Amino acid sequence: MSKIVRMKDIAAMANVSMGTVDRVIHNRGRVSADAQKKVMDVLEQINYKPNLIARTLSSSRNYRVAALLPDAELDPFWRSSIQGIQQAHSEHSQFGITISYHFFDPYSGDSFRQQAHDALESGPDGILLAPTLRQEALDFAGICREQQIPLVCFNTYIHELAPLAFIGQDLHQSGRLAAELMTMIAAPGTILVTHIGEQVQNSAHIGAKETGFREFVREKGSSHFEVNTVQLESPSRSGFKASLAQALETHPHTKGIYVTTSKAYEIARSLEELGKTDIRLIGYDLIDENLTHLRNGTINLLINQNSDRQGFLGISYLTDHLVFQKPIPTLQYLPLSIVTRENLNSYITSQEVN
Amino acid sequence: MSKIVRMKDIAAMANVSMGTVDRVIHNRGRVSADAQKKVMDVLEQINYKPNLIARTLSSSRNYRVAALLPDAELDPFWRSSIQGIQQAHSEHSQFGITISYHFFDPYSGDSFRQQAHDALESGPDGILLAPTLRQEALDFAGICREQQIPLVCFNTYIHELAPLAFIGQDLHQSGRLAAELMTMIAAPGTILVTHIGEQVQNSAHIGAKETGFREFVREKGSSHFEVNTVQLESPSRSGFKASLAQALETHPHTKGIYVTTSKAYEIARSLEELGKTDIRLIGYDLIDENLTHLRNGTINLLINQNSDRQGFLGISYLTDHLVFQKPIPTLQYLPLSIVTRENLNSYITSQEVN
DNA sequence: TTGTATGCGTTATCAT
DNA sequence: ATGATAACGCATACAA
């Protein structure tokens, strides 16, 4: 039973005062080389673990973190991220964390710059960012680095950002998984890949899922499946349906559609209206619009990006870093969760509490 | 910006001392009805949230929790539970939690009683239990209740235990999910259900997975699939293979096997030795023995019981209850995770840290 | 450069 | 029954 060593103990062992110990531990300077050495020697021998409880109580600082992410009104996908952030916040508010929210239009550079500016104005001690726009995010990350503000990113992986931590999904592997699942459940024939609601411009990562998907099919299913990419962007609902119908005519043997974004429900609606029931549909994310079609069977599988957990972990990591000065993972890939009608509830139910 | 209220503030508002406030909040008695009322009145009006940081620092109590679960040497399934427990412990050790481990033979009542006795001897403030044996667990839970020791259970749901919290999987729904997946990936024909390594005696829950499985097939796949239950227990390896071969002869149209326990690797080994490659195999849990066969394709899907998370949450809940006196969920169902070759890594990789 | 003293919010131990 | 006061371990401001 090794007793816990406190700063007081270290001070005694080194024949100095607590103040000196504090100064060398946090290297605040103003210590003589002599004292420095004495304390270091002791630290080498013993295993000092600061009492984080006492530390936070004492230095009752308040930390401001700015959350910079797309407006859920413009894309429902982000709702759950926000929920995760709020969840983490309520659990950590004890530690003096306050969060300011800055929502931007995920496709507008101007909007992003405006909100990013506001975020910096709030004088944050840390920033949580969903970097949907590559170039804008890079510029912003540069400023954060200059100002020495810790930056944690989630959802969209951009290597050059080099944030303190990234939390998200391995998109290439995600594509491979989608292909594996599709080849399990679809009859041999044509598979369509479509990126609805994403802008290919200014998004280097956009192709990762498709690349992974095609890679898997090439390795394991090339004799049974043919993969085609189709663009299905259209402003109007009826226009969308028409262009889908058009695509299905061009590829008459279509047995499956893989939607790389959270917009599978758009396809589902159109498929239902077109009366096509023999096409397997795989998409992303547990947003309400998708769940309806997962429940009625038009969508066969959803891959969950766990965006609530992304938000939750983002805030958790920032508080770990800021208040506890704990090491945090540089890269945190979340599980590639497969969701069907039968395990859906296990992913969305909240529990009773006593 | 509502300021945080402290006990000192309450004391001032109620015209009493902090000591009195402390006594009514924790109803330690020794307060006059008059003072009691004054404090209560204040508490009604304001929203006092105790500072848990300060509380833990001050009271610096040590809590002992006893973990009572099967020996991983006897069943590798329990390895990850232990890992989860240790993980939670290392994260919470700051709060003065110490854990004593008591491993028993999951099929021996004597072994259980012995270890349970030891666990109680250690004078624990809380107990984490994997109740594999129904009757023994009920007896033990009775003692815990008598001695007022908080009990948290995981993995095996036994309703009458009525613990502070249960953490695990919805087994009936788990069976439904397995059936859904099986009907997705197997050709029409016979599906075998088998419970390897479980004793039906003294385990009321054992049938839940099979019931769920059959229920789903009845609802959605009765025209294409026939379900048969087979017993495949055998002490020796070659004996096991022989009885499997026997079962496959009895059911020549077998297209899939559903193993309700973590022993799917036993089937996989035998199938490989028998050279049968056209049978889909679905099992449970990411133990190493299973992963080998998931990677080489003999096992098609595994449902993950997340037993590491079960252990983790069990300890987390106990510390929340003991040190923070926070409310905890009575029933915590974990996700029914579907694991394939392509998303396996996302479930088992640990991350680098800076 | 160094050491001491005070405070963080709570619990626990004293005298009253 | 009540109120003052010393811990808990660390940070910080200030005195030496």
Side-chain angles (χ1 to χ4, degrees), chain B residues 277-327:
Chain B
T277 60
D278 59 336
I279 295 180
R280 306 300 185 191
L281 186 52
I282 296 181
Y284 281 89
D285 300 315
L286 306 186
I287 60 177
D288 291 340
E289 292 81 347
N290 281 337
L291 298 190
T292 308
H293 300 282
L294 182 68
R295 292 204 179 91
N296 76 15
T298 311
I299 293 178
N300 299 87
L301 297 171
L302 288 172
I303 297 174
N304 183 7
Q305 308 218 54
N306 291 295
S307 38
D308 54 343
R309 189 147 179 82
Q310 289 183 20
F312 181 89
L313 282 178
I315 294 300
S316 299
Y317 285 171
L318 273 171
T319 75
D320 275 351
H321 178 76
L322 291 173
V323 352
F324 298 122
Q325 296 156 17
K326 282 208 299 188

Side-chain angles (χ1 to χ4, degrees), chain A residues 107-143:
Chain A
Y107 301 129
S108 158
D110 283 343
S111 167
F112 178 85
R113 276 182 292 271
Q114 176 64 50
Q115 294 301 321
H117 177 78
D118 291 357
L120 288 173
E121 284 293 297
S122 74
D125 301 292
I127 293 178
L128 179 64
L129 168 69
T132 53
L133 295 179
R134 178 184 171 76
Q135 190 53 55
E136 284 78 356
L138 284 170
D139 297 343
F140 181 68
I143 300 177

Side-chain angles (χ1 to χ4, degrees), chain B residues 74-352:
Chain B
L74 301 177
D75 185 345
F77 168 75
W78 300 98
R79 256 181 241 142
S80 55
S81 310
I82 297 170
Q83 283 172 7
I85 291 172
Q86 291 172 335
Q87 168 78 12
H89 182 217
S90 81
E91 288 190 14
H92 295 306
S93 57
Q94 292 277 355
F95 306 133
I97 296 280
T98 58
I99 299 182
S100 63
Y101 293 90
H102 308 271
F103 301 119
F104 56 87
D105 177 337
Y107 302 128
S108 158
D110 282 343
S111 167
F112 178 85
R113 276 183 291 272
Q114 176 64 49
Q115 294 301 320
H117 177 78
D118 291 358
L120 288 173
E121 284 292 297
S122 74
D125 301 292
I127 293 179
L128 179 64
L129 168 70
T132 52
L133 294 180
R134 179 183 170 78
Q135 189 53 54
E136 284 77 357
L138 284 171
D139 296 343
F140 181 68
I143 301 177
C144 292
R145 195 184 315 281
E146 269 176 32
Q147 304 195 9
Q148 312 245 35
I149 306 172
L151 175 67
V152 169
C153 295
F154 70 102
N155 192 268
T156 311
Y157 181 75
I158 298 177
H159 186 262
E160 296 85 345
L161 281 181
L164 191 63
F166 168 78
I167 302 147
Q169 205 168 60
D170 181 336
L171 299 183
H172 181 265
Q173 194 60 38
S174 186
R176 285 188 60 96
L177 172 63
E180 181 190 35
L181 295 170
M182 188 63 92
T183 59
M184 277 179 167
I185 67 173
T190 301
I191 308 296
L192 302 184
V193 177
T194 181
H195 319 281
I196 304 168
E198 277 281 358
Q199 297 187 321
V200 181
Q201 79 210 47
N202 199 5
S203 317
H205 73 289
I206 185 76
K209 283 176 180 169
E210 179 172 351
T211 306
F213 191 91
R214 287 177 175 275
E215 178 184 277
F216 182 92
V217 173
R218 204 179 318 122
E219 287 175 15
K220 305 277 173 57
S222 52
S223 54
H224 298 318
F225 297 96
E226 181 193 324
V227 179
N228 285 291
T229 305
V230 294
Q231 282 302 333
L232 284 177
E233 211 60 62
S234 171
S236 83
R237 190 65 173 281
S238 58
F240 185 86
K241 182 168 78 172
S243 59
L244 175 60
Q246 169 68 44
L248 293 180
E249 249 176 74
T250 311
H251 305 287
H253 298 315
T254 298
K255 302 300 183 195
I257 300 179
Y258 169 44
V259 184
T260 61
T261 64
S262 60
K263 303 286 190 292
Y265 61 90
E266 299 274 11
I267 300 273
R269 283 175 183 158
S270 295
L271 284 180
E272 286 170 9
E273 291 174 16
L274 292 169
K276 305 286 282 184
T277 60
D278 59 336
I279 295 180
R280 306 300 185 191
L281 186 52
I282 296 181
Y284 281 89
D285 300 315
L286 306 186
I287 60 177
D288 291 340
E289 292 81 347
N290 281 337
L291 298 190
T292 308
H293 300 282
L294 182 68
R295 292 204 179 91
N296 76 15
T298 311
I299 293 178
N300 299 87
L301 297 171
L302 288 172
I303 297 174
N304 183 7
Q305 308 218 54
N306 291 295
S307 38
D308 54 343
R309 189 147 179 82
Q310 289 183 20
F312 181 89
L313 282 178
I315 294 300
S316 299
Y317 285 171
L318 273 171
T319 75
D320 275 351
H321 178 76
L322 291 173
V323 352
F324 298 122
Q325 296 156 17
K326 282 208 299 188
I328 62 179
T330 306
L331 177 63
Q332 173 72 273
Y333 277 143
L334 261 35
L336 298 160
S337 310
I338 304 165
V339 182
T340 73
R341 204 181 343 195
E342 293 298 328
N343 75 347
L344 170 60
N345 277 329
S346 78
Y347 278 99
I348 59 178
T349 51
S350 55
Q351 269 64 44
E352 50 170 333

Side-chain angles (χ1 to χ4, degrees), chain A residues 272 286-302 339-342 344-345 348-349, chain B residues 180 220:
Chain A
E272 287 171 8
L286 305 186
I287 59 177
D288 291 340
E289 292 82 347
N290 280 338
L291 298 191
T292 307
H293 300 283
L294 182 69
R295 291 203 179 92
N296 76 16
T298 311
I299 293 178
N300 298 88
L301 297 171
L302 288 172
V339 182
T340 73
R341 205 182 340 196
E342 294 298 327
L344 170 60
N345 277 329
I348 59 177
T349 52
Chain B
E180 181 190 35
K220 305 277 173 57

